Amino acid sequence: MSVSIGELAVRFGCELRGDPDVVVEHVATLAGADERSVAFLANRRYRGELAATRAAAVVLDAEAAGDCPAAALVCRNPHATYARIAAVLHPLPAGPAGIDPSAVVSPQAKVDPGAHVGALSVIGAGAVVGARAFIGPQCLVGQDVVVGEDVRLVGRVTLCRGAEVGARTVIQPGAVIGGDGFGFAPEQGRWIKVPQIGTVRIGEDVEIGANTTVDRGAIDDTVIEDGVKLDNLIQIGHNVRVGAHSALAACVGVSGSTTIGRRCMIGGQVGIGGHLTISDDVVITGCTMVSHSITGPGVYSGGIPFEDASTWRRLVARFKRLESLASRLKALERRPGSVPDQEEDDD
């Protein structure tokens, strides 16, 4: 798609420093751009690439604009503005309205005439597919599922019985929404399956990554609120609630009945225990194990950074000796004439 940088400046509220009639067709990195490209600079580490860029225009902030050799689209948030420009220049492919001949659609389903249902997809009884929804190839939209307007199921997505997906949500290939949660009751050394009778409710403008799973609720529903972004390979347990506009990176696992607040950012491979509450505006750095509730906003970390193997073995050996060392210290402190610890002083 071709568009002038003058039009982009007006559309996205940028200050334009350069010829508004310059036409661009695609986006690129600073180093890989050509004379038909728009690039952007948001990370200071790439400032050195700005002087040599061949881009027709660069999206950047006012501080960096003076060093830009090309037309400058000046704004406060270059990364977000670049994202909007990229969406204009690289629109997602839209399937034709209608149902592919190879798809299987229940007579009891309701599919909007403007929706697209791709090859080999299945739409179950009682399902509702909204206007302009895109149901990609090999998707399963189960019984009584509701798919909102402009939803995009990229391909091979499974929406199990009763799931609800809000408008403009995007679900990437391989995701499973509404499978049974991990619910079993122990009895005499065996496990009795607990029926999972809730469902999953997904808000508007959500994105769910490839091969991510969101389990249905055991009794109440699992809820993903508006604007949440889930990366690939995430596990959301039954009865979890993820607050609006939170973002979870790849390989996060959230155990059942935990509530995550709004605007949280959770790094890759974080594990969150069950029946916990995470406050609004919490940042949890990668590989952290969360075993108790977090009651206030802030940045939280856990885990030990890597070391070379020999150092790591020594650290582990010392860690295992901490209990015996603590016992020996307590014994020494109990001897007559020893200096009392702080807690004894306070008493």
Side-chain angles (χ1 to χ4, degrees), residues 44-190:
R44 300 294 107 181
R45 288 183 294 181
Y46 297 99
R47 185 75 175 259
E49 297 180 3
L50 179 61
T53 189
R54 297 173 55 229
V58 180
V59 183
L60 33 57
D61 60 23
E63 180 184 351
D67 297 328
C68 184
L73 291 162
V74 183
C75 59
R76 290 185 178 180
N77 189 335
H79 198 186
T81 301
Y82 160 80
R84 294 185 173 98
I85 290 172
V88 171
L89 294 176
H90 301 271
L92 293 171
I99 299 169
D100 188 272
S102 65
V104 178
V105 178
S106 168
Q108 287 76 48
K110 182 179 179 181
V111 178
D112 188 275
H116 168 80
V117 179
L120 303 177
S121 288
V122 176
I123 312 294
V128 177
V129 178
R132 300 173 302 281
F134 178 92
I135 311 298
Q138 297 183 332
C139 290
L140 170 61
V141 178
Q143 179 182 349
D144 298 323
V145 166
V146 177
V147 176
E149 296 180 354
D150 300 296
V151 165
R152 187 175 187 86
L153 310 183
V154 176
R156 204 168 41 81
V157 172
T158 298
L159 304 180
C160 296
R161 172 178 50 85
E164 300 177 9
V165 181
R168 299 174 301 281
T169 286
V170 178
I171 305 181
Q172 301 291 345
V176 178
I177 310 300
D180 276 0
F182 192 63
F184 299 91
E187 182 183 60
Q188 298 179 351
R190 298 184 178 183

Side-chain angles (χ1 to χ4, degrees), residues 152-239:
R152 187 175 187 86
L153 310 183
V154 176
R156 204 168 41 81
V157 172
T158 298
L159 304 180
C160 296
R161 172 178 50 85
E164 300 177 9
V165 181
R168 299 174 301 281
T169 286
V170 178
I171 305 181
Q172 301 291 345
V176 178
I177 310 300
D180 276 0
F182 192 63
F184 299 91
E187 182 183 60
Q188 298 179 351
R190 298 184 178 183
W191 297 101
I192 308 301
K193 184 176 177 63
V194 178
Q196 307 291 287
I197 61 175
T199 188
V200 176
R201 292 186 285 116
I202 296 173
E204 298 180 351
D205 301 299
V206 171
E207 178 140 355
I208 297 177
N211 295 323
T212 283
T213 60
V214 181
D215 291 346
R216 70 189 311 106
I219 299 176
D220 294 328
D221 297 337
T222 302
V223 178
I224 309 297
E225 295 184 0
D226 293 350
V228 167
K229 310 303 179 188
L230 301 180
D231 199 357
N232 305 327
L233 296 167
I234 287 174
Q235 161 65 24
I236 302 294
H238 57 192
N239 298 106

